[in-house]
Amino acid sequence: MSTVTDSSVFRGIFSSPSSSAIWSDKTRTFYYLRFESALATAQARFGVIPHMAASAIAKKCDVNLIDMEELERETRKIGYPVLPVVKQIVRMVNEVEPGLGEWAHWGATTQDVTDTATILQLRDTCDLVSKSLENITCILRKLARTHASTPMAARSNLQQAVPISFGFKLARLLATFVRHQIRLAEILPRLLVIEFGGAAGTLATISDTGVALQVQEELAKELGLNVPDIAWHTERDRITEIGSFFAMVAGTCAKFALDIKLLMQTEVGEVSEPYYAHRGSSSTMPQKRNPISSVYITAMASTVKQLSASLFDAMVEDHERSTGPWEIEWIVLPQICTMTHAILTHTQEILNGLEVHPEAMSKNLDKTKGAIASEAVMMKLGRLIGRQVAHDLIYDLCRKAAQEDRPLVDLLSENKDVLNTGISRKELESWCNPANYMGLSKEMTFRVTDPE
Protein backbone atom coordinates (compact mmCIF):
# COMPACT_ATOMS: atom_id res chain seq x y z
CA MET A 1 0.00 0.00 0.00
CA SER A 2 1.34 3.44 -0.97
CA THR A 3 -1.86 5.43 -0.30
CA VAL A 4 -5.26 4.59 1.19
CA THR A 5 -6.79 4.98 -2.27
CA ASP A 6 -4.91 1.95 -3.57
CA SER A 7 -4.93 -0.07 -0.34
CA SER A 8 -6.69 -3.41 -0.71
CA VAL A 9 -8.30 -2.78 2.69
CA PHE A 10 -9.23 0.91 2.43
CA ARG A 11 -9.73 1.51 -1.30
CA GLY A 12 -13.45 0.75 -1.10
CA ILE A 13 -13.81 3.58 1.43
CA PHE A 14 -11.39 6.23 0.19
CA SER A 15 -11.86 5.52 -3.49
CA SER A 16 -14.26 3.69 -5.79
CA PRO A 17 -13.65 0.88 -8.29
CA SER A 18 -14.71 3.07 -11.22
CA SER A 19 -12.55 6.06 -10.29
CA SER A 20 -9.57 3.91 -9.37
CA ALA A 21 -9.76 2.22 -12.76
CA ILE A 22 -9.63 5.61 -14.49
CA TRP A 23 -6.42 6.57 -12.68
CA SER A 24 -4.72 3.19 -12.94
CA ASP A 25 -1.46 2.59 -14.80
CA LYS A 26 -3.38 0.57 -17.38
CA THR A 27 -5.87 3.31 -18.21
CA ARG A 28 -3.20 6.02 -18.32
CA THR A 29 -1.15 3.87 -20.70
CA PHE A 30 -4.30 3.09 -22.69
CA TYR A 31 -4.82 6.82 -23.24
CA TYR A 32 -1.16 7.32 -24.21
CA LEU A 33 -1.73 4.69 -26.87
CA ARG A 34 -5.04 6.22 -27.84
CA PHE A 35 -3.24 9.51 -28.49
CA GLU A 36 -0.51 7.86 -30.58
CA SER A 37 -3.04 5.91 -32.62
CA ALA A 38 -5.25 8.95 -33.20
CA LEU A 39 -2.23 11.09 -34.11
CA ALA A 40 -1.00 8.59 -36.68
CA THR A 41 -4.50 8.25 -38.15
CA ALA A 42 -4.96 12.02 -38.40
CA GLN A 43 -1.55 12.56 -39.96
CA ALA A 44 -2.09 9.81 -42.52
CA ARG A 45 -5.35 11.43 -43.65
CA PHE A 46 -3.43 14.57 -44.56
CA GLY A 47 -0.44 12.79 -46.06
CA VAL A 48 1.97 13.65 -43.25
CA ILE A 49 2.86 9.99 -42.68
CA PRO A 50 2.21 6.88 -44.85
CA HIS A 51 -1.17 5.19 -44.47
CA MET A 52 0.56 1.83 -44.02
CA ALA A 53 2.52 3.22 -41.07
CA ALA A 54 -0.61 4.69 -39.49
CA SER A 55 -2.46 1.40 -39.84
CA ALA A 56 0.39 -0.60 -38.30
CA ILE A 57 0.80 1.92 -35.47
CA ALA A 58 -2.92 1.83 -34.68
CA LYS A 59 -2.88 -1.99 -34.53
CA LYS A 60 0.02 -2.02 -32.11
CA CYS A 61 -1.48 0.65 -29.86
CA ASP A 62 -3.08 -2.03 -27.72
CA VAL A 63 -2.47 -1.80 -24.01
CA ASN A 64 -2.46 -5.57 -23.78
CA LEU A 65 0.64 -5.62 -25.98
CA ILE A 66 2.61 -3.33 -23.69
CA ASP A 67 5.19 -4.90 -21.41
CA MET A 68 4.31 -3.14 -18.14
CA GLU A 69 7.40 -4.43 -16.33
CA GLU A 70 9.61 -2.98 -19.05
CA LEU A 71 7.61 0.24 -18.88
CA GLU A 72 8.23 0.50 -15.14
CA ARG A 73 11.98 -0.13 -15.54
CA GLU A 74 12.36 2.35 -18.39
CA THR A 75 10.26 5.02 -16.67
CA ARG A 76 12.45 4.80 -13.59
CA LYS A 77 15.52 5.17 -15.80
CA ILE A 78 14.25 7.90 -18.16
CA GLY A 79 12.01 9.75 -15.74
CA TYR A 80 8.88 9.84 -17.91
CA PRO A 81 6.63 6.99 -19.10
CA VAL A 82 5.79 8.32 -22.58
CA LEU A 83 9.12 7.63 -24.28
CA PRO A 84 9.23 4.02 -23.01
CA VAL A 85 5.73 3.50 -24.44
CA VAL A 86 6.73 5.04 -27.76
CA LYS A 87 9.84 2.86 -27.90
CA GLN A 88 7.70 -0.26 -27.47
CA ILE A 89 5.34 0.91 -30.23
CA VAL A 90 8.26 1.61 -32.57
CA ARG A 91 9.77 -1.78 -31.88
CA MET A 92 6.52 -3.66 -32.47
CA VAL A 93 5.73 -1.80 -35.70
CA ASN A 94 9.26 -2.25 -36.99
CA GLU A 95 8.74 -5.98 -36.58
CA VAL A 96 5.92 -5.68 -39.11
CA GLU A 97 8.16 -3.83 -41.53
CA PRO A 98 11.59 -2.40 -40.73
CA GLY A 99 11.50 1.39 -40.43
CA LEU A 100 7.72 1.64 -40.39
CA GLY A 101 7.61 2.29 -36.65
CA GLU A 102 9.75 5.40 -37.02
CA TRP A 103 6.62 7.30 -38.04
CA ALA A 104 5.14 6.89 -34.55
CA HIS A 105 4.93 9.98 -32.31
CA TRP A 106 5.62 12.13 -35.39
CA GLY A 107 5.90 15.80 -34.39
CA ALA A 108 4.66 15.23 -30.84
CA THR A 109 6.35 15.74 -27.50
CA THR A 110 6.01 13.93 -24.17
CA GLN A 111 3.79 16.58 -22.64
CA ASP A 112 1.39 16.51 -25.60
CA VAL A 113 0.72 12.86 -24.86
CA THR A 114 0.67 13.21 -21.09
CA ASP A 115 -1.60 16.26 -20.96
CA THR A 116 -4.08 14.82 -23.43
CA ALA A 117 -4.21 11.54 -21.53
CA THR A 118 -4.79 13.47 -18.31
CA ILE A 119 -7.66 15.38 -19.94
CA LEU A 120 -9.22 12.10 -21.04
CA GLN A 121 -8.91 10.76 -17.49
CA LEU A 122 -10.46 13.96 -16.14
CA ARG A 123 -13.26 13.64 -18.69
CA ASP A 124 -14.06 10.16 -17.43
CA THR A 125 -13.87 11.38 -13.83
CA CYS A 126 -16.22 14.25 -14.62
CA ASP A 127 -18.66 11.75 -16.11
CA LEU A 128 -18.69 9.90 -12.78
CA VAL A 129 -19.05 13.14 -10.83
CA SER A 130 -21.87 14.30 -13.09
CA LYS A 131 -23.79 11.05 -12.58
CA SER A 132 -23.28 11.27 -8.81
CA LEU A 133 -24.51 14.87 -8.76
CA GLU A 134 -27.58 13.86 -10.75
CA ASN A 135 -28.34 11.01 -8.34
CA ILE A 136 -27.80 13.18 -5.28
CA THR A 137 -30.03 16.00 -6.55
CA CYS A 138 -32.74 13.49 -7.43
CA ILE A 139 -32.73 12.01 -3.92
CA LEU A 140 -32.54 15.43 -2.27
CA ARG A 141 -35.45 16.71 -4.33
CA LYS A 142 -37.67 13.88 -3.09
CA LEU A 143 -36.54 14.22 0.54
CA ALA A 144 -37.02 17.97 0.56
CA ARG A 145 -40.53 17.65 -0.83
CA THR A 146 -41.40 14.98 1.74
CA HIS A 147 -40.20 17.12 4.65
CA ALA A 148 -41.19 20.54 3.34
CA SER A 149 -43.41 21.03 6.40
CA THR A 150 -41.56 18.92 8.98
CA PRO A 151 -40.69 21.35 11.83
CA MET A 152 -37.23 21.39 13.34
CA ALA A 153 -34.95 23.84 15.10
CA ALA A 154 -32.53 25.94 13.08
CA ARG A 155 -29.19 26.31 14.86
CA SER A 156 -27.13 29.48 15.17
CA ASN A 157 -23.75 29.22 16.94
CA LEU A 158 -24.88 25.67 17.82
CA GLN A 159 -27.83 27.06 19.78
CA GLN A 160 -31.47 26.70 18.85
CA ALA A 161 -32.44 29.72 16.77
CA VAL A 162 -35.91 29.71 15.19
CA PRO A 163 -38.08 26.96 13.70
CA ILE A 164 -37.55 25.89 10.08
CA SER A 165 -38.62 22.80 8.18
CA PHE A 166 -36.25 19.93 7.56
CA GLY A 167 -37.21 20.20 3.90
CA PHE A 168 -35.94 23.80 3.88
CA LYS A 169 -32.59 22.59 5.24
CA LEU A 170 -32.39 19.94 2.53
CA ALA A 171 -33.49 22.36 -0.18
CA ARG A 172 -30.54 24.63 0.61
CA LEU A 173 -28.24 21.65 0.12
CA LEU A 174 -30.06 20.74 -3.08
CA ALA A 175 -29.64 24.28 -4.43
CA THR A 176 -25.90 24.07 -3.78
CA PHE A 177 -25.56 20.79 -5.68
CA VAL A 178 -27.58 22.23 -8.56
CA ARG A 179 -25.11 25.12 -8.72
CA HIS A 180 -22.31 22.56 -8.87
CA GLN A 181 -24.01 20.93 -11.84
CA ILE A 182 -24.12 24.30 -13.58
CA ARG A 183 -20.47 24.96 -12.74
CA LEU A 184 -19.39 21.61 -14.17
CA ALA A 185 -21.27 22.26 -17.40
CA GLU A 186 -19.48 25.61 -17.70
CA ILE A 187 -16.06 24.14 -16.94
CA LEU A 188 -16.12 21.20 -19.35
CA PRO A 189 -15.78 23.15 -22.63
CA ARG A 190 -12.66 24.86 -21.23
CA LEU A 191 -11.24 21.62 -19.84
CA LEU A 192 -11.81 19.13 -22.62
CA VAL A 193 -9.12 20.15 -25.09
CA ILE A 194 -6.15 18.32 -26.54
CA GLU A 195 -2.52 19.25 -26.18
CA PHE A 196 -0.58 18.97 -29.43
CA GLY A 197 2.03 21.60 -30.16
CA GLY A 198 5.38 19.86 -30.13
CA ALA A 199 8.43 21.01 -28.20
CA ALA A 200 7.44 24.63 -27.50
CA GLY A 201 3.84 24.48 -28.69
CA THR A 202 4.35 25.97 -32.17
CA LEU A 203 3.95 22.74 -34.20
CA ALA A 204 7.31 23.57 -35.77
CA THR A 205 8.05 19.91 -36.61
CA ILE A 206 5.14 19.67 -39.05
CA SER A 207 4.56 23.33 -39.86
CA ASP A 208 6.20 22.88 -43.28
CA THR A 209 3.50 20.40 -44.31
CA GLY A 210 0.94 23.17 -44.62
CA VAL A 211 -1.63 21.04 -42.80
CA ALA A 212 -0.40 21.22 -39.21
CA LEU A 213 -3.52 22.92 -37.85
CA GLN A 214 -5.75 20.55 -39.81
CA VAL A 215 -3.92 17.60 -38.24
CA GLN A 216 -4.46 19.17 -34.83
CA GLU A 217 -8.18 19.51 -35.52
CA GLU A 218 -8.42 15.95 -36.81
CA LEU A 219 -6.57 14.62 -33.76
CA ALA A 220 -9.04 16.41 -31.47
CA LYS A 221 -11.94 14.98 -33.46
CA GLU A 222 -10.51 11.47 -33.19
CA LEU A 223 -10.27 11.80 -29.42
CA GLY A 224 -13.64 13.49 -28.95
CA LEU A 225 -12.02 16.63 -27.56
CA ASN A 226 -11.82 20.28 -28.60
CA VAL A 227 -8.93 22.23 -30.08
CA PRO A 228 -7.33 24.79 -27.72
CA ASP A 229 -6.87 28.35 -28.90
CA ILE A 230 -3.10 27.97 -28.35
CA ALA A 231 -0.65 25.62 -26.64
CA TRP A 232 -1.02 25.39 -22.86
CA HIS A 233 2.04 23.41 -21.75
CA THR A 234 2.75 25.87 -18.92
CA GLU A 235 -0.67 27.53 -18.63
CA ARG A 236 -2.34 25.23 -16.13
CA ASP A 237 -5.53 27.14 -15.29
CA ARG A 238 -7.68 24.37 -16.77
CA ILE A 239 -6.29 21.79 -14.36
CA THR A 240 -6.43 24.12 -11.38
CA GLU A 241 -10.02 25.05 -12.17
CA ILE A 242 -11.27 21.47 -12.19
CA GLY A 243 -9.25 20.68 -9.05
CA SER A 244 -10.80 23.69 -7.32
CA PHE A 245 -14.24 22.57 -8.45
CA PHE A 246 -13.69 19.13 -6.93
CA ALA A 247 -12.61 20.81 -3.68
CA MET A 248 -15.82 22.87 -3.69
CA VAL A 249 -17.95 19.77 -4.24
CA ALA A 250 -16.08 17.99 -1.45
CA GLY A 251 -16.64 21.01 0.81
CA THR A 252 -20.38 20.90 0.20
CA CYS A 253 -20.46 17.23 1.09
CA ALA A 254 -18.40 17.93 4.22
CA LYS A 255 -20.84 20.62 5.35
CA PHE A 256 -23.65 18.10 4.93
CA ALA A 257 -21.63 15.47 6.83
CA LEU A 258 -20.98 17.91 9.69
CA ASP A 259 -24.70 18.60 10.06
CA ILE A 260 -25.42 14.86 10.02
CA LYS A 261 -22.84 14.26 12.76
CA LEU A 262 -24.35 16.98 14.91
CA LEU A 263 -27.94 15.91 14.30
CA MET A 264 -26.99 12.29 15.02
CA GLN A 265 -25.63 13.03 18.49
CA THR A 266 -27.33 11.02 21.23
CA GLU A 267 -28.69 14.18 22.84
CA VAL A 268 -30.16 15.39 19.53
CA GLY A 269 -31.09 12.26 17.57
CA GLU A 270 -32.96 13.99 14.76
CA VAL A 271 -31.48 11.95 11.91
CA SER A 272 -29.38 8.80 11.54
CA GLU A 273 -27.15 7.43 8.85
CA PRO A 274 -28.58 4.31 7.13
CA TYR A 275 -28.53 1.27 9.37
CA TYR A 276 -27.18 -2.13 8.63
CA ALA A 277 -25.70 -4.60 11.05
CA HIS A 278 -22.47 -3.46 12.72
CA ARG A 279 -22.11 -0.34 10.54
CA GLY A 280 -20.26 2.27 12.63
CA SER A 281 -20.16 0.01 15.68
CA SER A 282 -17.58 0.25 18.46
CA SER A 283 -15.18 -2.53 19.46
CA THR A 284 -15.92 -1.96 23.14
CA MET A 285 -19.18 0.03 23.45
CA PRO A 286 -22.03 -2.10 22.10
CA GLN A 287 -24.53 0.76 22.17
CA LYS A 288 -22.55 2.95 19.77
CA ARG A 289 -23.75 3.78 16.28
CA ASN A 290 -21.14 6.11 14.87
CA PRO A 291 -21.76 8.40 11.85
CA ILE A 292 -19.06 6.54 9.98
CA SER A 293 -19.80 7.68 6.42
CA SER A 294 -19.85 11.30 7.58
CA VAL A 295 -16.52 10.72 9.30
CA TYR A 296 -14.93 9.56 6.05
CA ILE A 297 -16.48 12.41 4.07
CA THR A 298 -15.00 14.87 6.55
CA ALA A 299 -11.51 13.37 6.36
CA MET A 300 -11.45 13.06 2.59
CA ALA A 301 -12.89 16.53 1.96
CA SER A 302 -10.13 18.08 4.03
CA THR A 303 -7.56 16.06 2.11
CA VAL A 304 -9.00 17.03 -1.27
CA LYS A 305 -8.93 20.69 -0.25
CA GLN A 306 -5.26 20.48 0.74
CA LEU A 307 -4.27 18.56 -2.38
CA SER A 308 -6.16 20.91 -4.69
CA ALA A 309 -4.31 23.87 -3.16
CA SER A 310 -1.07 22.41 -4.53
CA LEU A 311 -2.46 22.84 -8.06
CA PHE A 312 -2.06 26.59 -7.57
CA ASP A 313 1.66 25.95 -7.05
CA ALA A 314 1.63 23.85 -10.21
CA MET A 315 0.46 26.93 -12.13
CA VAL A 316 3.76 28.70 -11.48
CA GLU A 317 5.70 27.11 -14.34
CA ASP A 318 8.81 28.44 -15.95
CA HIS A 319 8.80 29.60 -19.56
CA GLU A 320 7.38 27.18 -22.19
CA ARG A 321 8.16 23.86 -20.49
CA SER A 322 8.55 23.64 -16.73
CA THR A 323 11.05 22.10 -14.36
CA GLY A 324 9.02 20.47 -11.62
CA PRO A 325 5.63 22.14 -11.05
CA TRP A 326 3.96 20.06 -13.78
CA GLU A 327 4.73 16.84 -11.93
CA ILE A 328 2.72 18.06 -8.94
CA GLU A 329 -0.37 17.23 -11.00
CA TRP A 330 0.80 13.64 -11.46
CA ILE A 331 0.96 13.22 -7.69
CA VAL A 332 -2.27 14.89 -6.59
CA LEU A 333 -4.81 14.51 -9.41
CA PRO A 334 -5.35 10.75 -8.96
CA GLN A 335 -6.02 11.24 -5.24
CA ILE A 336 -8.20 14.31 -5.74
CA CYS A 337 -10.32 12.57 -8.33
CA THR A 338 -10.70 9.19 -6.62
CA MET A 339 -11.45 10.77 -3.24
CA THR A 340 -13.95 13.21 -4.72
CA HIS A 341 -15.92 10.40 -6.28
CA ALA A 342 -15.72 8.41 -3.04
CA ILE A 343 -17.04 11.44 -1.13
CA LEU A 344 -19.97 11.74 -3.50
CA THR A 345 -20.63 8.01 -3.24
CA HIS A 346 -20.74 8.18 0.58
CA THR A 347 -22.99 11.25 0.40
CA GLN A 348 -25.38 9.52 -1.96
CA GLU A 349 -25.50 6.44 0.27
CA ILE A 350 -26.33 8.53 3.34
CA LEU A 351 -29.10 10.39 1.55
CA ASN A 352 -30.49 7.26 -0.03
CA GLY A 353 -31.06 5.59 3.34
CA LEU A 354 -31.26 8.62 5.63
CA GLU A 355 -33.37 7.96 8.71
CA VAL A 356 -35.35 11.05 9.69
CA HIS A 357 -36.87 11.29 13.18
CA PRO A 358 -39.62 13.95 13.20
CA GLU A 359 -40.61 13.00 16.75
CA ALA A 360 -37.13 13.90 17.99
CA MET A 361 -37.26 17.16 16.07
CA SER A 362 -40.57 17.97 17.75
CA LYS A 363 -39.23 17.00 21.17
CA ASN A 364 -36.19 19.24 20.72
CA LEU A 365 -38.41 22.11 19.64
CA ASP A 366 -40.23 21.79 22.96
CA LYS A 367 -37.06 21.83 25.05
CA THR A 368 -37.08 25.59 25.41
CA LYS A 369 -40.78 25.54 26.38
CA GLY A 370 -41.74 27.98 23.66
CA ALA A 371 -38.65 30.18 23.79
CA ILE A 372 -37.63 29.09 20.30
CA ALA A 373 -40.63 31.08 19.08
CA SER A 374 -39.63 34.15 21.10
CA GLU A 375 -38.84 36.10 17.92
CA ALA A 376 -42.39 35.52 16.74
CA VAL A 377 -43.78 36.78 20.04
CA MET A 378 -41.45 39.79 19.99
CA MET A 379 -42.52 40.79 16.50
CA LYS A 380 -46.21 40.43 17.34
CA LEU A 381 -45.88 42.38 20.57
CA GLY A 382 -43.61 44.89 18.89
CA ARG A 383 -46.49 46.14 16.80
CA LEU A 384 -48.33 46.98 20.03
CA ILE A 385 -45.64 48.16 22.48
CA GLY A 386 -42.58 48.77 20.28
CA ARG A 387 -40.01 46.30 19.00
CA GLN A 388 -37.18 47.12 21.40
CA VAL A 389 -39.52 47.20 24.39
CA ALA A 390 -40.90 43.84 23.33
CA HIS A 391 -37.38 42.48 22.79
CA ASP A 392 -36.25 43.39 26.31
CA LEU A 393 -39.45 42.05 27.84
CA ILE A 394 -39.26 38.70 26.03
CA TYR A 395 -35.53 38.46 26.82
CA ASP A 396 -36.26 38.66 30.53
CA LEU A 397 -39.20 36.25 30.30
CA CYS A 398 -37.12 33.69 28.40
CA ARG A 399 -34.46 33.75 31.09
CA LYS A 400 -37.12 33.35 33.75
CA ALA A 401 -38.75 30.48 31.83
CA ALA A 402 -35.41 28.67 31.73
CA GLN A 403 -34.65 29.32 35.40
CA GLU A 404 -38.09 28.26 36.60
CA ASP A 405 -38.57 25.52 34.00
CA ARG A 406 -41.92 26.98 32.96
CA PRO A 407 -43.53 27.45 29.54
CA LEU A 408 -43.01 30.89 28.04
CA VAL A 409 -46.71 31.18 27.30
CA ASP A 410 -47.53 30.95 31.05
CA LEU A 411 -45.19 33.79 31.88
CA LEU A 412 -46.58 35.87 29.04
CA SER A 413 -50.11 35.28 30.30
CA GLU A 414 -49.11 36.55 33.75
CA ASN A 415 -47.20 39.63 32.63
CA LYS A 416 -49.08 42.89 33.14
CA ASP A 417 -47.55 44.61 30.11
CA VAL A 418 -48.75 41.76 27.92
CA LEU A 419 -52.16 41.65 29.61
CA ASN A 420 -52.60 45.38 29.02
CA THR A 421 -52.43 44.78 25.26
CA GLY A 422 -55.61 42.70 25.41
CA ILE A 423 -54.02 39.66 23.78
CA SER A 424 -55.80 36.41 24.63
CA ARG A 425 -54.20 33.25 25.98
CA LYS A 426 -55.22 31.47 22.79
CA GLU A 427 -53.34 33.99 20.66
CA LEU A 428 -50.24 33.67 22.86
CA GLU A 429 -50.33 29.87 22.53
CA SER A 430 -50.48 30.23 18.77
CA TRP A 431 -47.50 32.61 18.80
CA CYS A 432 -45.48 30.21 20.96
CA ASN A 433 -46.16 27.20 18.74
CA PRO A 434 -42.94 26.55 16.75
CA ALA A 435 -44.87 24.97 13.88
CA ASN A 436 -46.57 28.32 13.29
CA TYR A 437 -43.31 30.18 12.85
CA MET A 438 -41.44 28.49 10.00
CA GLY A 439 -41.67 31.52 7.77
CA LEU A 440 -41.69 30.60 4.09
CA SER A 441 -39.86 27.31 4.64
CA LYS A 442 -42.37 25.34 2.61
CA GLU A 443 -42.66 27.85 -0.21
CA MET A 444 -38.89 28.26 -0.52
CA THR A 445 -38.41 24.52 -0.46
CA PHE A 446 -40.77 23.99 -3.38
CA ARG A 447 -39.21 26.91 -5.25
CA VAL A 448 -36.01 24.83 -5.31
CA THR A 449 -37.52 21.37 -5.77
CA ASP A 450 -40.03 22.43 -8.42
CA PRO A 451 -38.56 25.43 -10.30
CA GLU A 452 -40.70 26.85 -13.05
Side-chain angles (χ1 to χ4, degrees):
M1 169 182 134
S2 55
T3 67
V4 290
T5 55
D6 59 24
S7 161
S8 60
V9 174
F10 289 113
R11 63 189 175 199
I13 293 173
F14 295 106
S15 182
S16 67
S18 50
S19 63
S20 291
I22 291 170
W23 293 94
S24 67
D25 289 338
K26 184 174 183 179
T27 298
R28 183 180 58 253
T29 306
F30 170 84
Y31 279 136
Y32 288 169
L33 295 168
R34 184 76 188 89
F35 177 95
E36 297 293 351
S37 174
L39 177 62
T41 300
Q43 289 177 331
R45 283 178 185 155
F46 288 94
V48 176
I49 71 171
H51 281 281
M52 184 177 179
S55 177
I57 290 168
K59 287 179 182 177
K60 296 303 180 182
C61 283
D62 180 345
V63 72
N64 296 310
L65 299 178
I66 296 296
D67 185 331
M68 298 301 286
E69 291 184 0
E70 177 186 333
L71 176 57
E72 189 274 332
R73 289 194 306 272
E74 290 295 301
T75 299
R76 192 155 19 101
K77 180 173 71 176
I78 296 170
Y80 300 103
V82 170
L83 179 54
V85 169
V86 171
K87 289 172 70 175
Q88 290 196 43
I89 296 171
V90 171
R91 186 174 67 230
M92 289 188 289
V93 175
N94 280 341
E95 289 172 357
V96 175
E97 181 176 312
L100 205 58
E102 307 305 320
W103 293 102
H105 197 66
W106 195 257
T109 190
T110 290
Q111 193 167 350
D112 289 339
V113 184
T114 306
D115 279 350
T116 303
T118 298
I119 293 297
L120 291 169
Q121 289 173 291
L122 285 169
R123 179 199 63 187
D124 294 350
T125 301
C126 287
D127 284 345
L128 293 180
V129 169
S130 179
K131 290 173 185 174
S132 291
L133 290 174
E134 181 60 33
N135 291 336
I136 286 169
T137 54
C138 182
I139 298 167
L140 273 172
R141 193 166 279 111
K142 292 177 182 177
L143 278 172
R145 286 193 194 115
T146 299
H147 294 285
S149 299
T150 303
M152 71 174 297
R155 271 87 180 184
S156 172
N157 290 311
L158 293 178
Q159 307 296 305
Q160 286 197 6
V162 295
I164 58 172
S165 75
F166 185 53
F168 174 77
K169 190 177 186 73
L170 293 172
R172 292 178 6 242
L173 181 64
L174 169 60
T176 309
F177 277 115
V178 170
R179 290 194 295 275
H180 287 322
Q181 289 179 301
I182 295 170
R183 288 186 185 99
L184 182 57
E186 292 170 346
I187 289 170
L188 287 177
R190 292 190 290 272
L191 175 69
L192 301 183
V193 297
I194 64 166
E195 182 84 277
F196 176 53
T202 63
L203 285 173
T205 49
I206 60 171
S207 62
D208 60 350
T209 65
V211 292
L213 293 178
Q214 291 92 319
V215 168
Q216 189 183 59
E217 290 175 3
E218 192 67 16
L219 171 60
K221 184 179 177 181
E222 280 285 315
L223 295 172
L225 298 174
N226 299 316
V227 178
D229 48 5
I230 198 166
W232 52 281
H233 290 130
T234 52
E235 286 71 42
R236 312 307 292 179
D237 54 291
R238 290 180 172 90
I239 305 299
T240 304
E241 182 178 32
I242 193 63
S244 300
F245 169 72
F246 288 153
M248 288 178 66
V249 170
T252 296
C253 294
K255 184 269 187 288
F256 166 68
L258 175 59
D259 283 355
I260 292 295
K261 288 185 290 184
L262 293 171
L263 293 173
M264 200 171 162
Q265 290 180 102
T266 306
E267 297 82 357
V268 180
E270 294 181 0
V271 303
S272 301
E273 286 191 2
Y275 172 80
Y276 50 92
H278 304 295
R279 177 68 173 172
S281 60
S282 165
S283 64
T284 188
M285 295 170 281
Q287 86 281 7
K288 290 287 295 295
R289 183 178 171 185
N290 295 315
I292 196 67
S293 293
S294 296
V295 167
Y296 289 133
I297 291 170
T298 302
M300 286 189 286
S302 180
T303 305
V304 168
K305 180 180 70 174
Q306 297 299 324
L307 292 173
S308 66
S310 66
L311 293 174
F312 287 90
D313 287 328
M315 292 183 71
V316 188
E317 302 200 352
D318 40 301
H319 298 304
E320 283 61 57
R321 298 289 291 278
S322 72
T323 51
W326 179 45
E327 285 77 2
I328 293 172
E329 297 173 5
W330 304 9
I331 299 167
V332 302
L333 278 178
Q335 295 177 77
I336 290 172
C337 292
T338 53
M339 284 191 184
T340 297
H341 188 239
I343 289 167
L344 287 166
T345 300
H346 284 295
T347 300
Q348 181 179 332
E349 288 174 352
I350 292 174
L351 287 167
N352 207 32
L354 186 67
E355 297 179 8
V356 183
H357 310 301
E359 68 287 350
M361 294 177 180
S362 178
K363 182 179 178 182
N364 289 334
L365 283 169
D366 293 337
K367 279 186 176 180
T368 60
K369 298 186 181 297
I372 193 169
S374 63
E375 184 186 64
V377 179
M378 179 193 73
M379 295 302 292
K380 295 286 188 181
L381 278 177
R383 294 189 177 97
L384 303 172
I385 62 176
R387 197 203 71 86
Q388 191 59 49
V389 173
H391 176 279
D392 294 342
L393 171 64
I394 301 303
Y395 178 84
D396 290 337
L397 292 180
C398 284
R399 283 180 57 82
K400 187 175 181 180
Q403 291 168 352
E404 298 180 4
D405 194 26
R406 295 180 63 196
L408 177 62
V409 67
D410 288 350
L411 298 178
L412 287 166
S413 299
E414 298 168 2
N415 184 271
K416 64 178 182 178
D417 293 326
V418 176
L419 291 172
N420 288 338
T421 64
I423 298 168
S424 67
R425 167 83 185 200
K426 186 175 181 180
E427 286 179 288
L428 292 172
E429 288 176 350
S430 176
W431 295 354
C432 291
N433 183 349
N436 293 335
Y437 194 62
M438 292 195 294
L440 298 177
S441 290
K442 183 177 180 180
E443 292 83 353
M444 290 182 175
T445 296
F446 283 115
R447 189 167 68 182
V448 175
T449 61
D450 302 282
E452 295 180 354

